[in-house]
Amino acid sequence: MSSSEVDVVVVGSGPNGLAAALTMARAGLSVEVFEAQSTIGGGARTLELGLAPGITHDICSAVHPLAIASPFFVDFDLPARGLKLTTPEISYAQPLEGRPAALAFHDLEATVDHLGAAGPEWRRFFGPLLDRVDDAVWLSLGDKRSLPETLRDARGIANVVQFGLRLLSQSGPTWNIPFSHETSQALFTGVAAHAIGKLPSMGTAATATMLSTLAHAAGWPSPVGGSQSIIDFMVADLEAHGGTVTADARIDRVEDLPAARSYLLDTSALNAAQIFTGHLPTRVDKALRSFPQGNAAAKVDFVLNGPVPWSDPDVARAGTIHVGGTRAQMAAAEADVAAGRMPRHPLTLASDPTVFDPSREVDGLRPLWTYCHVPFDCPLDPTEYITRQLERFAPGFRDTIVASHAIPASEMAAHNQNYIGGDIAAGIVSFYRMMARPRLAWDDYSLGIPGAYLCSSATPPAPGVHGMNGWFAARRALKNEFGISEAPSLAP
């Protein structure tokens, strides 16, 4: 280590790393952030890939319901800082073969009307959760160790019970009872698959219930200009409070870093163990190295010469499209992935940012963001799989393709070190592993030695661009290492 000491060193500049860094900087501490890549942002970067002049691509995340709904970002208040968001009238769509797509509108009643005979059961499921959306958010995005704010009054307790009952209903073999129509089943399951796990399960049910509730509350917005806009505002705030960020700074061992009173790692559990090799208690080191990886994603960024020719034109009005067909088809595809088999029709997510942000189109060309679910560390090029899947619901899609750039799951870690084998969740997402993430301990963020914390998606509450993992880790470090019990305000 160098002899110059700072208060806090953060490894990794993803949303969680920056959330931790700016929280510490706002508490008056000196903070340095180190990023292995040449660009800042981790899972929320927007880059030119050289496919067409001026066309930028969100190379990881693209749509951000939690960037305005998570408690961290509510306090940080991106809109008040000048972030422009587009919130589509239709949050997400589920194309279906030979029939109109199932659509989830931002407005619940519009969704109920659209679903027809399936509408009442959609309202029964989500209507009560919308009375106090913050209850669902806090339950889903809490640290799994402290009492959520939702449980501090009788109404909150009742809402948590309702939320829990809905998770149970969608986590086992009875999942077709609350949703008895093919349209509502498919619409819910497409969101559940964001967790990239077995269908049905508690982990996928929790993901779908929370994200679908937000779809009818704050909506599923996207930042104008791309995901990098979120990162730029976070970096600006960090630097305004004296923090620094250094890119092209891969850290292999803690000895590569400046001496500091506290280290916060926005890395995978395995990378954290490797960085602190020889320093961690044996039980902690073993737990970090054995934290199981989840199923994977493979990415394709397309350049198109026009909009995707969806069979149902209404699909183009949605910010996010879940391309997987029926509930049974998606469950079968995810079962293949879990078994290590590449599905013929892998579940695919797509988003066309130009529909809501015309600035993304250049000289008649536009980006299309896609990824599909594949087995862990799968080396296959996903381009043809995704193209064929989109052609099922958008005949002629192949003819709109001008260029494409693929990243197989086995290569995902090259552009984000946390995405080992294509596991974009930095560890398996199951109900147990939402609680014991990455190990079973009272403090999942602690690395077992004074001053060292893990603050990535490998900790509670779960993956996503919400900043909560970093915020929770930073608050523990503030209290334990610096005697600061009250978290600083993040407001502009």
Side-chain angles (χ1 to χ4, degrees):
M1 299 182 190
S2 71
S3 57
S4 59
E5 180 173 316
V6 297
D7 293 318
V8 181
V9 163
V10 177
V11 178
S13 70
N16 281 313
L18 292 176
L22 65 87
T23 299
M24 303 297 269
R26 278 176 164 260
L29 304 175
S30 57
V31 180
E32 293 186 16
V33 180
F34 295 88
E35 169 57 49
Q37 298 295 320
S38 59
T39 53
I40 306 301
R45 286 177 289 161
T46 306
L47 301 174
E48 285 197 41
L49 298 176
L51 301 181
I55 298 291
T56 58
H57 304 266
D58 294 306
I59 64 169
C60 298
S61 56
V63 180
H64 296 280
L66 294 170
I68 56 172
S70 86
F72 170 82
F73 277 119
V74 167
D75 195 4
F76 192 67
D77 201 348
L78 284 162
R81 296 170 183 273
L83 179 69
K84 296 180 180 179
L85 296 162
T86 62
T87 303
E89 177 191 10
I90 299 174
S91 296
Y92 55 92
Q94 186 77 32
L96 296 167
E97 289 180 289
R99 59 185 299 179
L103 308 174
F105 288 78
H106 186 181
D107 179 71
L108 175 63
E109 289 307 313
T111 307
V112 171
D113 290 343
H114 160 76
L115 291 175
E121 61 189 21
W122 195 266
R123 182 196 287 119
R124 283 195 298 271
F125 196 95
F126 290 107
L129 300 179
L130 290 171
D131 288 342
R132 289 201 342 186
V133 176
D134 287 350
D135 292 344
V137 172
W138 266 110
L139 184 64
S140 301
L141 297 184
D143 63 4
K144 313 300 190 245
R145 295 296 182 273
S146 56
L147 187 68
E149 294 186 6
T150 58
L151 293 177
R152 294 174 184 171
D153 61 59
R155 181 68 179 280
I157 294 172
N159 282 2
V160 166
V161 170
Q162 291 193 74
F163 189 87
L165 290 174
R166 282 155 174 76
L167 299 195
L168 289 172
S169 77
Q170 291 300 298
S171 63
T174 61
W175 68 335
N176 287 336
I177 294 177
F179 296 122
S180 61
H181 294 75
E182 187 176 83
T183 51
S184 54
Q185 290 172 359
L187 195 58
F188 186 91
T189 307
V191 187
H194 279 248
I196 319 184
K198 179 179 176 287
L199 293 168
S201 70
M202 281 291 284
T204 56
T207 297
T209 304
M210 190 262 290
L211 289 179
S212 295
T213 300
L214 288 178
H216 298 308
W220 283 15
S222 295
V224 171
S227 299
Q228 190 73 46
S229 302
I230 296 173
I231 296 302
D232 291 345
F233 280 106
M234 297 180 79
V235 171
D237 188 87
L238 172 63
E239 292 178 342
H241 290 85
T244 63
V245 184
T246 302
D248 284 319
R250 182 185 173 97
I251 304 301
D252 294 313
R253 294 180 60 84
V254 70
E255 286 79 9
D256 298 333
L257 293 167
R261 294 172 64 186
S262 185
Y263 297 91
L264 291 100
L265 273 57
D266 183 11
T267 69
S268 69
L270 175 61
N271 286 342
Q274 292 169 337
I275 289 171
F276 277 97
T277 293
H279 296 273
L280 303 180
T282 301
R283 69 184 188 283
V284 176
D285 184 84
K286 182 178 179 180
L288 295 177
R289 293 178 189 271
S290 62
F291 181 44
Q293 302 291 160
N295 299 324
K299 184 81 163 57
V300 179
D301 290 294
F302 291 97
V303 174
L304 309 182
N305 60 16
V308 178
W310 299 106
S311 296
D312 183 343
D314 283 337
V315 172
R317 300 163 57 200
T320 301
I321 301 100
H322 304 127
V323 190
T326 65
R327 168 171 275 188
Q329 290 169 338
M330 288 183 282
E334 295 296 87
D336 280 344
V337 167
R341 299 186 298 266
M342 183 66 196
R344 174 171 172 75
H345 296 297
L347 200 149
T348 298
L349 277 71
S351 182
D352 181 350
T354 303
V355 173
F356 311 102
D357 180 4
S359 69
R360 301 293 291 274
E361 181 175 353
V362 180
D363 295 330
L365 302 179
R366 61 208 290 154
L368 181 73
W369 176 96
T370 71
Y371 74 80
C372 69
H373 297 175
V374 302
F376 177 76
D377 209 30
C378 178
L380 294 176
D381 185 321
T383 306
E384 180 58 27
Y385 288 92
I386 290 178
T387 300
R388 190 168 60 226
Q389 181 75 318
L390 291 175
E391 278 274 341
R392 288 176 63 196
F393 306 95
F397 167 70
R398 192 183 298 272
D399 296 333
T400 69
I401 299 171
V402 174
S404 64
H405 176 262
I407 307 179
S410 59
E411 299 177 16
M412 288 285 277
H415 81 97
N416 189 323
Q417 198 173 340
N418 290 4
Y419 295 169
I420 299 170
D423 176 7
I424 60 175
I428 191 170
V429 179
S430 65
F431 186 72
Y432 172 69
R433 283 300 180 179
M434 287 181 175
M435 306 293 177
R437 189 168 188 86
R439 62 193 182 97
L440 185 60
W442 178 248
D443 186 354
D444 279 0
Y445 306 92
S446 171
L447 290 174
I449 54 176
Y453 299 84
L454 187 62
C455 68
S456 69
S457 293
T459 62
V465 180
H466 46 64
M468 295 297 287
N469 314 66
W471 192 42
F472 283 133
R475 291 172 65 177
R476 282 162 171 75
L478 284 175
K479 182 177 180 180
N480 297 338
E481 314 306 328
F482 301 96
I484 301 173
S485 297
E486 186 172 347
S489 170
L490 305 174

